Amino acid sequence: MSFNTRLQTLADEALTIGKACNEGANADYIPFLASVPADLCAVSMACCDGTVIHSGDHDYGFALESISKVCSMSLAMEQKGAELVREKIGAEPTGLPFNSVMALTVHQDKPLTPLVNAGAMSTVSFLDAPDKESRWQMILDFQRKMMSHNIRLSDEVNTSEQETNFHNRAIAWLLYAAGNCFSDPMDACEVYTRQCSTLVSCDDLATLGGTLANGGVNPVTKEQVISPDNIGPILAEMTMEGMYDYSGDWAYLVGLPGKSGVGGGVVAVVPGRMAIAGFSPPLDEAGNSVRAMKMIRHIANNLNFNVYRPC
Ligand code: GLN
C-alpha cells in the first residue's frame, strides 16, 4: 500500500471515529457559532510535498477563530524577531481559560503568550502599522500566505463577534493600562476580532500547519512565508498554550504542537512531515473540538507521530 493510500485509509477511519462521537457543544457565546450545523465533520492532511488528503466536509468554510493567533504571532516574529515577541508578550502557559482576566491579574497584566485572547490582542497591537486598516490588511495577507488566497472575512461572523465582544474589549483596556497594548486598544480588539472571523476550509487549516511543518514554506504554493528560525519558537508557543488549559493533556496524549479555535478547527504539526487538521463544531470545556481531537489523535498515534517518542 502506498503511503498516500495509507493516509487516505486513516483519514476515512478517523472520520468514522469522529462522526460516532456525540460529546461537546457548539460555542454559544458568539451567536453565529451556535448556529453552525453541529454534525459537520472533516479531517485533512497537508504533507510537505504538497499532497493534500482529506475525508468528510473538507471544503466547508468555518470561522478560523483562535487559530488566527498563530498567523499574527508568526507575522510579529517575522517583523520583530521571536526574542522580542517572547520579551514583550511571553512564552508561558497560563493554565487558565483563553479569555481569563485572572490570568492577567496574577501576572501584572502581562499576557504570557500570544495564544490567549489578551496575548493575541497585544500581538496585533505590536505589529508595525500606520493605522487600523493597514494593520488588518497585513494580517489578512499573512493568513492568505499561510493558507490560500481564498481566505476572506465573513461579514456575518465578524458582525456577530463585534456586537458581542465586550469581554475582549475589557481585556484590551486592562492591557493598555499596564503598557502591554501598543496601539489604540479598541483598534487592537477590533482587528483581533476580524482576524478570528475569516472563513477557512479544513484543507486550508492543514495547509497552515503544513507551512509550519515545512520550515515556513507553504507546501501548496511553495512560497517561503516564515523564516526557518521562527518555526521553533512558533511550535514551542503552540505546545505550551495551543490547546489552552488542555495543552498538557494534549502533549501527553498526542505529542504534537497543536492549535484550536472555538469555530471547531484544530491543527497539529508534525515537523518535517505534515500537518493534520480536523473540524467539527462541538467543543469541550476548554474550547477544543472534541471530534477534531479524536480524529487527529487516531491518525497521529497510528503513524507514531509523537515528537517526544521518536522511533
Ligand atoms: N474570537 C474568539 C474570542 O475572542 C476566539 C476564541 C477561541 O477560538 N478560543 O473569544
Side-chain angles (χ1 to χ4, degrees):
M1 193 195 289
S2 77
F3 188 59
N4 287 352
T5 309
R6 188 163 173 219
L7 293 184
Q8 187 62 59
T9 303
L10 282 171
D12 294 339
E13 282 173 17
L15 190 79
T16 304
I17 291 168
K19 285 191 156 181
C21 167
N22 284 315
E23 293 156 41
N26 284 35
D28 59 4
Y29 73 102
I30 298 169
F32 175 87
L33 296 181
S35 73
V36 178
D39 57 349
L40 287 164
C41 195
V43 64
S44 302
M45 285 170 259
C47 304
C48 288
D49 67 2
T51 307
V52 178
I53 306 272
H54 45 230
S55 196
D57 305 303
H58 64 94
D59 53 5
Y60 182 89
F62 59 93
L64 184 59
E65 298 297 341
S66 270
I67 304 166
S68 67
K69 292 164 176 156
V70 174
C71 302
S72 40
M73 170 178 73
S74 304
L75 176 57
M77 287 184 186
E78 288 300 297
Q79 277 194 2
K80 308 275 194 172
E83 191 46 34
L84 212 52
V85 172
R86 187 172 76 92
E87 186 190 313
K88 293 282 187 190
I89 298 156
E92 293 294 338
T94 68
L96 286 162
F98 57 80
N99 58 0
S100 173
V101 172
M102 192 163 79
L104 281 175
T105 306
V106 295
H107 297 106
Q108 294 78 47
D109 286 333
K110 189 174 174 195
L112 297 194
T113 164
L115 298 184
V116 294
N117 292 10
M121 287 188 278
S122 191
T123 303
V124 165
S125 75
F126 193 43
L127 297 171
D128 286 325
D131 53 50
K132 183 173 75 182
E133 291 312 319
S134 43
R135 195 177 296 281
W136 158 238
Q137 197 57 50
M138 70 176 61
I139 290 172
L140 179 61
D141 287 346
F142 207 75
Q143 287 191 7
R144 288 177 171 158
K145 284 184 177 178
M146 287 186 77
M147 290 180 272
S148 89
H149 288 282
N150 299 329
I151 307 303
R152 61 177 183 83
L153 180 71
S154 161
D155 289 332
E156 199 183 356
V157 181
N158 187 44
T159 303
S160 181
E161 297 217 20
Q162 301 284 359
E163 285 177 349
T164 52
N165 67 354
F166 311 112
H167 189 91
N168 284 340
R169 283 186 234 171
I171 289 174
W173 279 116
L174 286 175
L175 290 170
Y176 188 70
N180 291 323
C181 185
F182 312 101
S183 73
D184 177 275
M186 292 303 91
D187 283 3
C189 185
E190 187 180 334
V191 172
Y192 159 73
T193 304
R194 284 189 210 172
Q195 76 172 27
C196 292
S197 305
T198 55
L199 294 182
V200 306
S201 69
C202 200
D203 287 354
D204 293 328
L205 192 53
T207 305
L208 181 156
T211 301
L212 298 171
N214 196 30
V217 177
N218 181 316
V220 177
T221 66
K222 313 293 180 205
E223 184 186 354
Q224 181 89 47
V225 180
I226 300 168
S227 56
D229 286 352
N230 287 335
I231 299 298
I234 293 164
L235 296 183
E237 295 270 13
M238 290 170 68
T239 301
M240 289 293 118
E241 189 63 33
M243 307 297 284
Y244 305 117
D245 39 336
Y246 192 71
S247 298
D249 288 277
W250 179 259
Y252 194 106
L253 296 169
V254 183
L256 294 174
K259 186 73 203 86
S260 67
V262 292
V266 178
V267 61
V269 179
V270 191
R273 303 292 299 271
M274 64 165 71
I276 312 166
F279 159 64
S280 193
L283 310 178
D284 69 5
E285 293 285 297
N288 302 319
S289 167
V290 185
R291 291 192 193 121
M293 288 193 294
K294 276 194 197 295
M295 293 188 289
I296 293 169
R297 192 173 160 191
H298 176 76
I299 294 169
N301 287 354
N302 268 281
L303 294 170
N304 289 318
F305 283 162
N306 182 327
V307 295
Y308 307 118
R309 200 173 52 214
C311 54

